Amino acid sequence: PPAPEDAEARTERVFTASEVRRVAPCAHAGRCGGCSVQHLPHDEQLALKQRMLAEQLSRVAAVEPEEWAAPLTGPEFGYRRRARIAVRWDARAKQLEVGFRAAGSQDIVAIDHCLVLVQALQPIMAGLPALLRQLSNPRALGHVELFSGSAIAVLLRHMAPLSEADMQLLQGFCLTHGAQLWLHGEGEPQPVDLTQTLGYRLEQWNLQLAYRPGDFVQVNAGVNEAMVAQALEWLAPQADERVLDLFCGLGNFALPLAKQVREVVAVEGVATMVERAALNAVSNNLHNAAFFQADLSQPLAQAAWAKDGFSAVLLDPPRDGAYEVVRKLSALGAKRLVYVSCNPATLARDTVELMKQGYRLKRAGILDMFPQTAHVE
């Protein structure tokens, strides 16, 4: 039978520490479920992730890239521009628990300072527990999301209407911290001030992408921008080309691509994201990108947008990979392909299919999108 994709182990006790092991910089490491490899120095984390990628490609696809690229890295702490804070009423202790989920359980670890969070969100994180404990109906609170981009935002999920006094407390807190207040009751998340918008910039291309809480966005702004730049450099798009962007999301790759080519066709499974990406293109005055909704877990049927073919393809699928999509990819005529992956196991599986079609693996490298965690991009 094929080897299992993940075997998990847990350190119970360290008798003799490896010479590469360090004392975890964060006091919550080991309990909080966020960072699982803080006991490794940053260069060792990168080496581990490089080995994970090389091993999957070699074991599953029996291939090594013609060239290994150096890892794309950023700061090992203070990089995370988005965080989801767990909130739960403990009926026995009659108190509100606020923090991050513990490793491998539903317990909540109380945290008022998180080393991987961007500096702009630290004061909000520190003041949040005291604020939430003042609200009149703590049982009705869901979770809180923090976001730092072109603006700072605090989103509160609540299961019952908020009182006037609660609203004043929340708005006062957000005013103090220069943050937008977003509420998520019934329906979609909304800003309390409907004129306010959220988003993030891609400076190198002078682009502003609108974002709403709940949308997928890369949490590491610096590495995200470096990733887009490297992906475009490797794809080497030419001014007269028609390029396909699969799993396009808000247009993170499609909009920079549109600045360099004749036409971009961008495809995404979630209809609301297709609308948002199309609006992002228009608001950045880009009119050579077309956005379509399609179920990308199915083969690319003879969709109208695929008819004229493409000279190059960029894809950035979720953890499941893009097995059905890549099986028939060569039929689109693309000679060049950049595959951005967040799971080496499905990347290796999909690589087997691509090689069957005559593609060869020219270059591969890791992106340090999530330092202190075992996630490999």
Side-chain angles (χ1 to χ4, degrees):
E5 280 190 11
D6 296 303
E8 293 202 1
R10 185 174 68 232
T11 305
E12 297 287 358
R13 245 187 319 159
V14 176
F15 292 101
T16 309
S18 152
E19 62 273 16
V20 298
R21 181 182 281 272
R22 69 176 176 185
V23 175
C26 175
H28 306 290
R31 289 187 60 234
C32 170
C35 298
S36 57
V37 292
Q38 278 204 13
H39 58 285
L40 279 180
H42 193 211
D43 56 346
E44 292 290 338
Q45 294 180 25
L46 295 172
L48 170 70
K49 293 177 186 192
Q50 182 81 37
R51 287 197 301 274
M52 286 164 77
L53 175 59
E55 185 187 307
Q56 288 286 357
L57 289 172
S58 149
R59 191 166 58 95
V60 177
V63 67
E64 187 176 338
E66 292 173 22
E67 178 192 335
W68 279 109
L72 269 192
T73 66
E76 66 166 320
F77 294 108
Y79 65 84
R80 200 179 174 94
R81 63 174 164 187
R82 179 184 171 195
R84 186 180 176 124
I85 318 271
V87 178
R88 188 176 57 198
W89 175 253
D90 182 339
R92 268 203 307 231
K94 292 202 170 24
Q95 70 164 6
L96 195 67
E97 296 181 318
V98 181
F100 289 130
R101 295 219 177 276
S105 85
Q106 290 296 305
D107 293 345
I108 292 175
V109 182
I111 289 175
D112 56 7
H113 179 75
C114 169
L115 286 180
V116 295
L117 210 56
V118 292
Q119 196 50 50
L121 296 176
Q122 295 289 2
I124 296 178
M125 179 97 192
L128 203 58
L131 165 77
L132 296 174
R133 287 182 182 123
Q134 292 176 57
L135 300 183
S136 58
N137 186 5
R139 290 172 186 77
L141 304 178
H143 62 262
V144 175
E145 263 192 57
L146 308 181
F147 181 76
S148 168
S150 50
I152 293 173
V154 176
L155 168 90
L156 176 64
R157 176 84 175 98
H158 59 102
M159 272 68 87
L162 296 162
S163 71
E164 190 56 45
D166 288 349
M167 283 299 293
Q168 282 182 346
L169 281 168
L170 290 163
Q171 284 176 298
F173 178 82
C174 286
L175 194 62
T176 305
H177 292 286
Q180 299 179 3
L181 174 60
W182 286 61
L183 297 175
H184 187 186
E186 289 178 4
E188 292 285 297
Q190 292 290 349
V192 170
D193 174 352
L194 292 172
T195 65
Q196 289 180 332
T197 56
L198 256 186
Y200 68 92
R201 285 190 59 72
L202 290 172
E203 288 299 342
Q204 289 178 55
W205 301 273
N206 189 28
L207 292 165
Q208 170 80 15
L209 278 74
Y211 156 88
R212 292 177 75 88
D215 293 349
F216 174 77
V217 62
Q218 293 288 8
V219 300
N220 189 325
V223 173
N224 178 60
E225 189 151 324
M227 168 182 77
V228 174
Q230 180 169 287
L232 266 57
E233 186 190 318
W234 290 13
L235 197 63
Q238 304 301 303
D240 61 344
E241 288 186 319
R242 182 174 195 249
V243 176
L244 178 63
D245 174 19
L246 295 170
F247 308 91
C248 71
L250 293 169
N252 194 46
F253 290 105
L255 273 54
L257 261 173
K259 291 209 158 194
Q260 296 187 19
V261 300
R262 174 173 58 86
E263 185 186 358
V264 174
V265 171
V267 187
E268 164 61 48
V270 184
T272 50
M273 296 292 267
V274 176
E275 287 167 34
R276 298 233 226 292
L279 287 170
N280 278 333
V282 172
S283 69
N284 285 282
N285 203 25
L286 292 169
H287 303 287
N288 60 333
F291 297 85
F292 300 96
Q293 194 270 330
D295 179 359
L296 293 172
S297 67
Q298 300 304 314
L300 295 178
Q302 289 308 305
W305 48 260
K307 289 274 196 291
D308 298 336
F310 303 93
S311 24
V313 176
L314 189 148
L315 66 159
D316 181 11
R319 287 190 61 77
D320 298 344
Y323 184 70
E324 290 298 343
V325 164
V326 301
R327 287 178 71 189
K328 303 275 195 305
L329 210 60
S330 60
L332 300 175
K335 297 278 186 275
R336 310 191 311 284
L337 168 74
V338 167
Y339 188 140
V340 182
S341 165
C342 58
N343 183 353
T346 53
L347 172 67
R349 177 204 66 197
D350 293 353
T351 297
V352 174
E353 289 301 313
L354 288 164
M355 287 165 63
K356 280 181 191 169
Q357 295 170 57
Y359 289 104
R360 65 184 200 274
L361 184 56
K362 294 276 289 179
R363 196 183 290 153
I366 58 164
L367 313 168
D368 194 26
M369 194 66 83
F370 305 100
Q372 315 309 328
T373 79
H375 293 295
V376 186
E377 292 255 340

